[in-house]
Amino acid sequence: MIPQKTTNRNWLFWITLFILFCTAVYILRSVIMPFVAGIIIGYLFDPWVAKLKKAGINRTVGTFIVLGTVLIIIIPGIFLLLNAINEQIGKFLETAPQYIAAFLRRIEPVINNLQEHFPGMDGEKIRGYIRSNISNWLKVGGNILKSLISSGFALINILSLLLITPVVAFYILRDWENIVKKADSLLPRKSKESIRQQAKEIDRTLAGFIRGQLSVCIILGSFYALGLYFTGLELGLLIGFLAGLISFIPYIGSISGFIVSIAVALAQFDSMTPVFHVVGVFIVGQFLEGNFLTPKLVGDSVGLHPVWIMFALLAGGVLLGFLGLMIAVPVAAVIGVFIRHAIKNYKNSSLYLEK
């Protein structure tokens, strides 16, 4: 039996280490973002390098191949997408007054019907209120999106991200097996098996959610973007891609994208046929996500509740800004594994079992 003093000392050591780590991250939050980005990239693409190694390719060469492929394909694609979205936002802001007028024409029968049932209601005030507020919302939202995209370009052009992140990702990918072995050799001998089990569960959760859900978001965002674009919807690329991008929070991405798309379609089109096409895009997207993408790429064993994800993103953004958003979901996944392990130990303890 382990002495109580030793157990308390172990807990004190781990809690102190955790507090020091969190403090260091908070203090260095403006410096460590390229390193965190490099580590995330290394973790995401490690399976590709591992497959190349199994095929007989040296791990260093495999790392060059994987990172080179990513740089050649993904980065130009991001620039093209951001440029197309930026152009769409500009066009949309120019035509916003026409959309507002078209929307008001659409809801004119509704306002007239309300006036018939409620004679004391001032329809002109309602029209003025809707006109002014929609205009303000569109301007504010458009300016925010344009500034975000401009900030995204500025962020990509920061020297540290351009130089440090690929270097960190390269070394993480090349030395991943050695890093894992070194970490395993430092584990406390008495708790080694328990820690290994938790590490495997964390890796399974992260792999299932980050790698799997990232694939779902990209595929779904591309489908929504192209589908809405071919329906002729203004801002279709932007709305569709953002709807797919935030689909890791169940229903939030699809519902918000659907509502915004329908509102824009009602304002833009004179007939209902294109509006039904927009509805069809989201119905097909939800069918594909629920029946093929999520079951195949993510699975059912991730164990991250949507509310927990939303809280993690909000807390991460408030505490650490963009860095917090980057690490929010991985940290939430790790904490979730620890909580499940603690609950399991509690249910096996005398405190829970005693009568």
Side-chain angles (χ1 to χ4, degrees):
M1 183 178 179
I2 301 174
Q4 186 66 31
K5 286 185 179 181
T6 303
T7 303
N8 292 338
R9 197 182 301 119
N10 290 340
W11 274 107
L12 182 62
F13 169 77
W14 288 112
I15 291 172
T16 304
L17 188 64
F18 176 74
I19 293 173
L20 290 174
F21 175 77
C22 292
T23 304
V25 170
Y26 183 78
I27 293 172
L28 299 173
R29 63 189 182 278
S30 61
V31 178
I32 63 174
M33 189 168 65
F35 298 92
V36 173
I39 292 171
I40 292 174
I41 292 172
Y43 177 77
L44 287 175
F45 294 107
D46 174 67
W48 293 12
V49 178
K51 287 180 179 179
L52 291 176
K53 185 180 178 181
K54 286 183 179 179
I57 298 175
N58 180 274
R59 192 169 179 93
T60 302
V61 176
T63 301
F64 272 115
I65 293 173
V66 170
L67 288 182
T69 304
V70 171
L71 290 173
I72 292 171
I73 296 176
I74 295 180
I75 291 181
I78 292 174
F79 273 100
L80 290 173
L81 179 65
L82 288 175
N83 186 50
I85 290 174
N86 196 39
E87 288 181 3
Q88 281 207 333
I89 292 173
K91 290 179 181 178
F92 183 77
L93 291 177
E94 290 176 3
T95 56
Q98 290 93 328
Y99 286 154
I100 295 171
F103 183 75
L104 287 173
R105 287 197 301 270
R106 289 275 184 179
I107 65 171
E108 188 70 27
V110 178
I111 295 176
N112 293 334
N113 189 35
L114 288 173
Q115 279 186 298
E116 290 178 5
H117 290 84
F118 304 97
M121 189 182 70
D122 191 341
E124 193 56 40
K125 283 187 177 180
I126 294 176
R127 294 183 189 93
Y129 177 81
I130 293 174
R131 187 182 294 108
S132 61
N133 278 277
I134 290 179
S135 179
N136 291 333
W137 292 338
L138 287 175
K139 287 179 181 177
V140 172
N143 290 331
I144 289 173
L145 287 170
K146 286 180 75 68
S147 65
L148 283 175
I149 291 175
S150 300
S151 299
F153 277 116
L155 190 65
I156 293 172
N157 288 322
I158 291 176
L159 187 62
S160 62
L161 283 176
L162 281 175
L163 297 179
I164 298 176
T165 300
V167 173
V168 174
F170 171 80
Y171 282 110
I172 292 293
L173 273 174
R174 192 194 67 175
D175 301 329
W176 184 263
E177 292 180 345
N178 294 331
I179 292 171
V180 172
K181 289 178 182 178
K182 187 67 175 178
D184 185 74
S185 68
L186 296 174
L187 296 178
R189 286 177 292 178
K190 290 184 178 180
S191 308
K192 181 171 286 190
E193 290 304 318
S194 176
I195 295 174
R196 281 176 177 171
Q197 183 179 355
Q198 291 180 63
K200 287 179 181 178
E201 188 176 350
I202 289 170
D203 179 63
R204 180 171 54 85
T205 302
L206 290 178
F209 191 86
I210 297 179
R211 294 182 184 133
Q213 194 64 55
L214 182 63
S215 302
V216 171
C217 290
I218 292 174
I219 295 172
L220 202 61
S222 301
F223 173 79
Y224 283 146
L226 292 174
L228 295 177
Y229 176 79
F230 286 118
T231 63
L233 187 71
E234 292 283 352
L235 279 184
L237 284 176
L238 175 64
I239 297 170
F241 188 74
L242 289 180
L245 198 63
I246 60 175
S247 62
F248 63 90
I249 307 175
Y251 308 114
I252 299 296
S254 56
I255 291 175
S256 58
F258 177 77
I259 293 173
V260 174
S261 298
I262 293 298
V264 174
L266 288 173
Q268 178 183 346
F269 301 116
D270 294 328
S271 68
M272 291 299 295
T273 302
V275 179
F276 292 138
H277 291 164
V278 171
V279 174
V281 169
F282 279 92
I283 291 175
V284 174
Q286 282 300 289
F287 177 79
L288 292 174
E289 180 188 8
N291 293 277
F292 297 100
L293 297 178
T294 300
K296 296 291 184 182
L297 298 175
V298 180
D300 301 322
S301 58
V302 173
L304 290 176
H305 196 276
V307 176
W308 178 232
I309 295 171
M310 286 187 284
F311 173 78
L313 289 169
L314 288 173
V318 169
L319 292 174
L320 299 173
F322 186 73
L323 174 64
L325 294 176
M326 289 176 62
I327 65 174
V329 173
V331 171
V334 173
I335 293 174
V337 171
F338 288 157
I339 290 175
R340 288 194 293 271
H341 182 73
I343 291 173
K344 182 180 177 181
N345 288 341
Y346 165 70
K347 287 187 174 182
N348 291 327
S349 68
S350 58
L351 180 64
Y352 177 81
L353 295 174
E354 66 181 2
K355 295 181 180 180

